[in-house]
Amino acid sequence: MTYNHPKILVAIDCLVFGYDTTENNLKVLLFQREVEPFAGEWSLIGGFVNEDEDLSDGAERVLEKFTGLKDVFLEQLSTFGKANRDPGGRVVSILYWSLIKLDDLHRDIANEHGAKWFDLDQLPELVVDHSEMLKLGTEQLVHNAKSRPIGFELLPEDFTLPQLKQLYDAIYGKSIDDRNFRKKILSTDLLIKTDKKDKTTSKKGAFVYRFDTEKYNELRKQGYHLDLNV
Amino acid sequence: MTYNHPKILVAIDCLVFGYDTTENNLKVLLFQREVEPFAGEWSLIGGFVNEDEDLSDGAERVLEKFTGLKDVFLEQLSTFGKANRDPGGRVVSILYWSLIKLDDLHRDIANEHGAKWFDLDQLPELVVDHSEMLKLGTEQLVHNAKSRPIGFELLPEDFTLPQLKQLYDAIYGKSIDDRNFRKKILSTDLLIKTDKKDKTTSKKGAFVYRFDTEKYNELRKQGYHLDLNV
DNA sequence: ACAAAAGTGTTGACCGTACACCCATGT
DNA sequence: ACATGGGTGTACGGTCAACACTTTTGT
């Protein structure tokens, strides 16, 4: 070790949004802390960074522990580092956020770890500065929904346009005009229409679409930047 | 101390953009590292976080040390934390960025600390992942120039429209249409025209303007969001 | 008088928004 | 036949981009 300076505990907190396609609402994964201070209180999922571990690997480890998921949308958001933010000691915490397709499996795995999915409008009090983290993440979600195709991280691979619209409605907290939404989303030319119909929510049935990930990645390499402007 | 986990060195690096009004170009503040590894090589200004110090206070301390400035634009950008990023030991580094009005005083203070202002197109090799930090900060600058009035952080309090346009040209790396630029910037109604003229660059002289900070803050409280769309 | 920078308006193309009805099908 | 959700087009207004000439004044 070359440097001679005070060392600090480094933690990762991970804000996980899951979308429940059947209920049509956005949820957040929280867990009950097991250690003092604040044992038993609700917090974002998190953990300490190991000495030989990349931050991004630590975030993946935390996420996989509580959801069983790998290779999903997971990005760094911001770092929280007030000297006295945690009464248990000096901890600098790096906030990540993740978007997942919520299904029963993830509910079960969450359960095993004392974690639970909460509706955004029925959140409990959160420890330390986690409410601030949640606020930041929610803003990020709204902001990103306009500029990147993050909606498809939250929906199953096969989805219908009414489903996609409901997701955007949930994110923005208001109802978008149906015709304009279709026009905009289809004009990106990044949706693949299949000939299947999903009849679970109507007699007529809604066509099933898929997001064209390859095409999007190809375009992105060429500097393309999606702007949904919904 | 309640927690029992490995502790890690936490550093702050600060990417400082300065705009030189006389030369009309953007510069970045770099300094020559004094300690091994990489002693003598160029790096962003930075330092280690003290145990009882808020991250934001640490960033302010670093910035003041090298520029003599307080109370200027200074925001957190991102955190770099690959386990082996620094061969001198495990260091997690939080990147901040700052915008300042560059004048001779700041050049002198920088000099005292072995720091120097570099043109963006004449940068030396940088240590560790600092080139990545610079890239991120440059993108941030371009992106923010469109959505927030950051230009005024880089110009003196009194400025002319030709100066402001040259600044935006420098940020975007291309020349904006003069008439459209004036229309847009004046339509925000956030510039105060004074009756002074600056004749240093022309015989006719250009009117001196000021940014209406109070009005902007007032509007912002009401949820207003500037969108320059230059 | 002339050089050099400051200042000024109009038009056409495109995009966002508002808005109401028909379609397909299971019961 | 009817109820339910899926699907479709148009017209208006506002915003962005392109474009060239006049004004001022120091030398």
Side-chain angles (χ1 to χ4, degrees):
Chain A
M1 171 62 62
T2 313
Y3 305 120
N4 181 24
H5 282 277
K7 292 189 178 182
I8 294 176
L9 282 167
V10 178
I12 281 170
D13 287 304
C14 189
L15 172 52
V16 191
F17 289 103
Y19 184 65
D20 185 323
T21 316
T22 57
E23 278 187 39
N24 287 318
N25 64 5
L26 272 167
K27 291 176 187 288
V28 170
L29 185 59
L30 301 177
F31 90 120
Q32 268 175 311
R33 275 174 68 109
E34 287 160 358
V35 297
E36 289 296 340
F38 307 121
E41 296 190 41
W42 292 99
S43 111
L44 299 187
I45 65 172
F48 287 99
V49 177
N50 297 327
E51 193 151 15
D52 59 351
E53 179 183 55
D54 291 0
L55 287 183
S56 55
D57 291 340
E60 285 174 21
R61 173 173 57 78
V62 166
L63 184 66
E64 192 184 355
K65 175 175 165 191
F66 287 93
T67 65
L69 287 169
K70 273 171 145 170
D71 297 320
V72 294
F73 179 96
L74 177 64
E75 288 185 353
Q76 195 193 107
L77 251 191
S78 182
T79 297
F80 291 71
K82 281 211 192 303
N84 60 358
R85 57 184 282 278
D86 187 330
R90 175 72 199 266
V91 181
V92 166
S93 179
I94 295 121
L95 174 63
Y96 280 76
W97 73 311
S98 175
L99 302 174
I100 74 166
K101 312 169 206 301
L102 180 53
D103 62 29
D104 294 335
L105 174 65
H106 309 131
R107 273 181 237 272
D108 292 344
I109 296 174
N111 245 325
E112 285 170 29
H113 290 85
K116 209 183 126 188
W117 289 94
F118 284 82
D119 285 3
L120 276 175
D121 53 3
Q122 290 174 27
L123 293 169
E125 285 278 307
L126 296 178
V127 300
V128 201
D129 44 19
H130 287 203
S131 296
E132 210 181 317
M133 293 180 175
L134 195 97
K135 181 161 173 276
L136 190 66
T138 310
E139 288 165 5
Q140 219 29 235
L141 182 64
V142 173
H143 181 255
N144 274 265
K146 298 185 191 191
S147 54
R148 298 162 61 191
I150 55 166
F152 309 100
E153 308 287 346
L154 292 160
L155 284 178
E157 203 179 343
D158 284 9
F159 56 86
T160 65
L161 291 186
Q163 275 181 317
L164 185 60
K165 174 174 143 39
Q166 276 174 323
L167 169 59
Y168 275 90
D169 286 350
I171 292 174
Y172 291 127
K174 67 175 184 187
S175 182
I176 305 160
D177 181 274
D178 198 17
R179 282 163 288 186
N180 293 337
F181 177 76
R182 279 163 185 272
K183 245 180 301 173
K184 278 173 205 163
I185 204 86
L186 291 174
S187 74
T188 65
D189 211 25
L190 288 168
L191 294 197
I192 303 168
K193 187 178 187 172
T194 70
D195 48 11
K196 283 185 288 183
K197 278 202 165 187
D198 174 2
K199 296 203 172 182
T200 53
T201 54
S202 80
K203 296 162 182 174
K204 184 176 178 182
F207 277 105
V208 169
Y209 286 79
R210 250 169 225 206
F211 183 63
D212 195 338
T213 312
E214 279 183 38
K215 188 165 179 182
Y216 177 65
N217 288 335
E218 201 53 47
L219 284 169
R220 225 165 25 134
K221 270 186 215 156
Q222 298 159 31
Y224 171 80
H225 190 257
L226 179 66
D227 188 1
L228 270 178
N229 246 108
V230 185
Chain B
M1 171 61 66
T2 313
Y3 305 119
N4 180 25
H5 282 276
K7 291 188 176 185
I8 294 176
L9 283 166
V10 178
I12 281 170
D13 287 304
C14 190
L15 171 52
V16 191
F17 289 104
Y19 184 66
D20 184 322
T21 315
T22 56
E23 278 187 38
N24 286 319
N25 63 5
L26 272 166
K27 291 177 187 287
V28 170
L29 184 60
L30 301 177
F31 90 120
Q32 269 176 311
R33 273 174 68 109
E34 288 159 0
V35 298
E36 290 295 343
F38 307 120
E41 295 190 41
W42 292 98
S43 110
L44 298 188
I45 66 172
F48 287 98
V49 176
N50 297 327
E51 193 152 13
D52 59 350
E53 179 183 54
D54 291 0
L55 287 183
S56 56
D57 291 340
E60 284 174 21
R61 173 172 57 79
V62 166
L63 183 66
E64 192 183 356
K65 175 177 167 189
F66 287 93
T67 65
L69 287 169
K70 273 171 144 171
D71 298 321
V72 294
F73 179 95
L74 178 63
E75 287 185 354
Q76 195 193 107
L77 250 192
S78 181
T79 297
F80 290 71
K82 279 208 192 306
N84 60 359
R85 56 184 281 278
D86 187 331
R90 174 73 199 265
V91 181
V92 166
S93 178
I94 294 122
L95 174 63
Y96 280 75
W97 72 313
S98 174
L99 301 174
I100 73 166
K101 312 170 205 302
L102 181 52
D103 62 31
D104 294 335
L105 174 65
H106 308 132
R107 273 182 238 272
D108 293 345
I109 296 174
N111 246 327
E112 287 170 27
H113 290 85
K116 208 183 128 188
W117 289 94
F118 284 82
D119 285 3
L120 276 175
D121 53 3
Q122 290 174 28
L123 294 170
E125 285 278 305
L126 296 178
V127 299
V128 202
D129 45 18
H130 286 204
S131 296
E132 211 181 317
M133 293 180 173
L134 195 97
K135 181 161 172 276
L136 190 67
T138 310
E139 287 165 6
Q140 210 47 222
L141 181 64
V142 173
H143 181 255
N144 274 264
K146 298 186 190 190
S147 54
R148 298 162 60 190
I150 55 167
F152 309 101
E153 309 286 346
L154 292 160
L155 285 178
E157 203 178 345
D158 283 9
F159 56 87
T160 65
L161 291 186
Q163 274 182 319
L164 185 60
K165 176 175 143 39
Q166 277 173 324
L167 169 58
Y168 274 91
D169 285 350
I171 293 174
Y172 291 127
K174 66 174 184 188
S175 182
I176 305 161
D177 181 274
D178 198 17
R179 284 164 286 186
N180 293 338
F181 177 75
R182 280 164 183 271
K183 245 181 299 174
K184 278 172 205 164
I185 203 84
L186 291 173
S187 75
T188 64
D189 211 26
L190 287 168
L191 294 196
I192 303 167
K193 186 177 187 172
T194 70
D195 48 11
K196 282 185 285 181
K197 277 202 167 190
D198 174 1
K199 296 203 173 183
T200 53
T201 54
S202 81
K203 294 161 184 176
K204 184 177 178 182
F207 277 105
V208 169
Y209 286 79
R210 253 172 221 203
F211 183 63
D212 195 338
T213 312
E214 279 183 38
K215 188 166 181 182
Y216 176 65
N217 288 336
E218 201 53 48
L219 284 170
R220 221 161 32 129
K221 272 187 215 156
Q222 297 159 32
Y224 171 80
H225 191 257
L226 178 67
D227 188 1
L228 270 179
N229 246 109
V230 185

